[in-house]
Structure formats: structure tokens, C-alpha cells
Amino acid sequence: MSKKILLGVTGGIACYKSVHLCRLMVKAGYEVKVIMTPAACSFVTPLTFQAITGNRIYINEFDAGVEPDIIEHVWLAGWADEFIIAPATANIIAKIAHGIADDLLTSTVLPYKKPIFIAPSMNVDMYANPVTQKNLALLSSFGHDLIDPNTGEMACRTEGKGRMAEPEEIFDYVFCKEKPLSGLKVLVTAGATAEAIDPVRFITNRSSGKMGLAVVRQAKALGAEVRLVAGLTSVGTEGFDTVKVQSALEMLDAVQKEIAQTDILVMAAAVADFRVAEYSETKIKKTDEAEITIRLVKNPDILKELAPLKKNGQVFAGFAAESDNLEVNARKKLAEKGLDMIAANDISRKDIGFETDDNEIMIFSSDREPFSTGKVSKDTAAEKLLLFARELYGKKNGSV
Ligand code: CTP
């Protein structure tokens, strides 16, 4: 029997691309039913989808008597083998993230038991809005599969990220994408540690946590079970399975507790190398002195502490933030920290690294040629890093 696909279409200009997506699925032999929101009907007529699918199109929640013996939204949710929403507007994303069910499409989302493929499509500023980003993070934490929008020219004559992925890309993602990390447990550290001086002050660094969070998202998308240990981050960690920490010592403790249940560790956090020797329980007051001296002592190196605990099949990946001699320094860290691979970043470059959305990492390991991701989004860099780690994991554990 052919696979049954439910396609949700919401009101955005990319509706015209969904017509092509629908055609691709029908051509591949899938049975497709389409739910359109009333707004989607302003962009493309239901008749177009009806002609392509050969099925009636579902729009209104309370169409009395069409199929009197079924409760449509519950029936559709049970019928579908796969559920794709493309295009997914900021509005539908917000509604799904918060469990709102006020039309046929959202009412069908709630009883659907599997992850839904969601292809966001919106203006660049709507996509970048922190509320949308938070909602997307929530969707991914609920296990839904987000199909990253593309960057490029938009219908609103702006340029940037928010264009819905092309129909062929969505088709490949849903029907051809492998989940190479399924069944594996990935532990990620992200963000900066904060070393307290007194109750109001601390020493930290410029890490935003964006790279670590990209690793979390991608590991989930590749099928892994992911745990995050997060220090200070300027990006939200809501919705992920997260242990929040402040200092390097707390991060060490959290990671030590998790490591036995981990297959792949990705240590993306920027851990402070030093902490304050004498923490002041009370706020340090300003005095007449022109200078103040704060003595720092060395923090433990978390990776070095973990090295003796490492089990045979585990893969440990670290990062190397370097401003010069990238390869020499990265290889030194690879060896000294007992790592299987290390992703080196050139932090002297302004276009990649701290606080930016892009990165270019060079991956070193003991037995493979160095591999550069090229300058790509942090999500793409994270995906490549994880696939590299998966390959090493396969080698260690006797599977490909
Ligand atoms: N790291 C760690 N514990 C520390 C410091 C760093 O586990 N106390 C980890 C980082 O998470 C990263 C790797 O070690 O995966 C390299 O971090 P980096 O800051 O590049 O190097 P350092 O070891 O701190 O050395 P340096 O600052 O001299 O470059």
C-alpha cells in the first residue's frame, strides 16, 4: 500500500511551491491529502491541489455532513504516515508551539502522534524575531523536524533567511534523509562559564553558545538523543534537555555525571581557564584605593579530567579557539586532551566565530586528513562535524 501523506498548507507566498511538492509526492506514488488554512486559499485555490491529488481538500473544521461518520481532525491525524507543513508561517509555528488548536490544521496537529516536518517560510525579520526563534526551538524540542529555510531574495523584495526550502529539498529531506545518529546519545556543552568574584560580579568570555546550540539542533535532526550542559548563552536553550551551570567546576560536575551514558561528547563550551581564588560572600566595596588585585587560580581542564573515564566506543570531540598557528595548536590539544577529533576555529576572523551566525571549522583527527567545512552557517558546520563524529563512532564500534 502506498504511503499516506498529509500536507498542511498555510497562507504564505510559498504556497505555489507546495503545489510542486504535492506533485512530486503524487508522482512518487504517495497518496496525498491536503489541509489548507483559509489564508492559504487566498494564495492558491483548493482546486489546484484537488486536481493534483485526486482527493478532496480539507479546509474548514466544521463542514457539517461531508463525511458524517468521522471526526475529521482526529481521523486525518490517524490516517497519515507522514505529516508535512509547507509553507509554515510564523503564525502556525507560534500556534503549534503553544498548543493552540483553532482551525482544522492545528486541530489535526494535536492528536498526531509522530514528529511533523515543518518548512518555515516568512520574511527575514519575522524569521529572525526572537519570538519566532524561541517558537522554533520549542517545536524542535517537542521532536518536530524543522526543514531549514534558505537564504536569498524574498517576495517582499528583501534578502536574507526565510525563503521556504525548495520542493525538491523538502522531498529529499522527508523521504530520503537518513538518521545516522538514531539510537545514539550525544552530550553537548555550550556557552561560556561564569566565574564569580562576589554576589554581583563575575568573569566570563564572549562565547554566545550559538555553535553549541547548532550542534544540539543538528544532533536532534540527525536522530540522536541529546543532552545539553549550558553555561551563559545569548541564545535560548528552552525546550532542550538542559542542565544549566555557571562555573567551570559546575560544568565539570555536570559532565562527569552524564559521561557514562554518552556515545558522542561535543565539548563546545568556552570554559574559563581560571577562577577567582577568594570568592567574596559580600559585595566588594569601592574604597579609596586606586587599584584592586584579584587573584586567579587555574580551573581544571574538563576534557583532561574526562579522558581517564573514557570508554572504548565513545567519541570525544573538542573545539580549539585559535588566533594563530591553527593546525599546530589544534593538534596539540587533540593529543593532550585525549580527543578523537577537534574542530578548530580561527577567532581572529570577524566574519565567523563569536556571536556570528556563520562559522568555518577545520576538523583534525589522528587518522584522517584534515577536513574544512568551508564558510557555512553554524548549523551546517554542526551537521558536518556530527557526521564526522558518526564516522569515527562507526569505526570504533565496528559499524559504518
Ligand atoms: N576546555 C575544557 N576545560 C577547560 C578549558 C577548555 O574542557 N578548562 C575544552 C573546551 O571546551 C574546548 C577545548 O577544551 O573543547 C579547547 O578549548 P580552548 O579554549 O580552545 O583551549 P584551552 O585548553 O583553554 O587552551 P588555550 O586557552 O591556551 O588556547
Side-chain angles (χ1 to χ4, degrees), residues 285-299:
K285 299 300 285 178
K286 190 163 54 196
T287 62
D288 292 336
E289 300 295 323
E291 280 182 15
I292 179 171
T293 302
I294 295 173
R295 200 164 62 84
L296 301 177
V297 291
K298 210 164 183 189
N299 266 329

Side-chain angles (χ1 to χ4, degrees), residues 136-392:
L136 287 167
L138 271 175
L139 293 190
S140 123
S141 73
F142 296 142
H144 295 309
D145 218 330
L146 301 177
I147 305 175
D148 222 20
N150 291 334
T151 301
E153 200 187 325
M154 307 234 178
C156 54
R157 318 271 188 283
T158 53
E159 276 219 35
K161 190 164 181 172
R163 270 170 68 101
M164 187 176 87
E166 294 304 315
E168 289 79 5
E169 290 172 326
I170 298 177
F171 184 90
D172 286 351
Y173 188 95
V174 176
F175 300 105
C176 310
K177 192 175 182 195
E178 290 174 24
K179 301 272 183 194
L181 296 185
S182 69
L184 297 187
K185 294 196 169 99
V186 174
L187 177 64
V188 183
T189 67
T193 66
E195 309 298 329
I197 300 170
D198 69 11
V200 289
R201 304 176 180 101
F202 56 78
I203 300 171
T204 189
N205 60 63
R206 287 182 56 202
S207 169
S208 61
K210 281 187 177 178
M211 189 63 219
L213 264 296
V215 175
V216 171
R217 276 193 300 278
Q218 290 305 313
K220 282 195 84 161
L222 293 169
E225 194 182 310
V226 188
R227 196 110 216 257
L228 168 66
V229 175
L232 295 186
T233 59
S234 63
V235 285
T237 58
E238 294 82 6
F240 298 116
D241 183 5
T242 309
V243 182
K244 277 275 195 190
V245 297
Q246 291 243 325
S247 64
L249 290 177
E250 284 174 22
M251 185 170 277
L252 172 65
D253 185 52
V255 174
Q256 274 173 335
K257 284 190 179 127
E258 294 296 326
I259 201 66
Q261 305 87 261
T262 298
D263 297 304
I264 297 174
L265 165 73
V266 182
M267 189 78 197
V271 186
D273 291 327
F274 295 91
R275 68 177 180 279
V276 175
E278 288 98 23
Y279 170 76
S280 169
E281 297 287 347
T282 52
K283 186 181 169 199
I284 299 171
K285 299 300 285 178
K286 190 163 54 196
T287 62
D288 292 336
E289 300 295 323
E291 280 182 15
I292 179 171
T293 302
I294 295 173
R295 200 164 62 84
L296 301 177
V297 291
K298 210 164 183 189
N299 266 329
D301 188 295
I302 298 178
L303 283 171
K304 283 187 186 167
E305 297 288 322
L306 292 176
L309 305 177
K310 189 170 171 187
K311 291 188 282 185
N312 274 344
Q314 290 179 316
V315 170
F316 285 5
F319 275 78
E322 305 299 341
S323 54
D324 53 287
N325 280 335
L326 193 87
E327 174 153 8
V328 173
N329 288 332
R331 285 201 184 277
K332 196 162 169 256
K333 287 177 187 170
L334 177 76
E336 287 177 358
K337 293 176 188 254
L339 293 168
D340 300 283
M341 55 185 275
I342 193 155
N345 269 109
D346 182 349
I347 55 165
S348 66
R349 277 176 58 181
K350 295 273 172 290
D351 58 333
I352 52 171
F354 293 128
E355 287 151 24
T356 64
D357 290 323
D358 291 330
N359 206 352
E360 178 169 346
I361 53 179
M362 187 71 135
I363 302 175
F364 300 98
S365 64
S366 54
D367 61 348
R368 271 195 50 178
E369 285 296 299
F371 166 77
S372 168
T373 58
K375 187 182 163 193
V376 287
S377 72
K378 284 189 170 164
D379 275 277
T380 303
E383 185 185 21
K384 291 182 186 221
L385 177 147
L386 286 162
L387 292 175
F388 194 102
R390 176 65 184 87
E391 207 180 304
L392 297 185

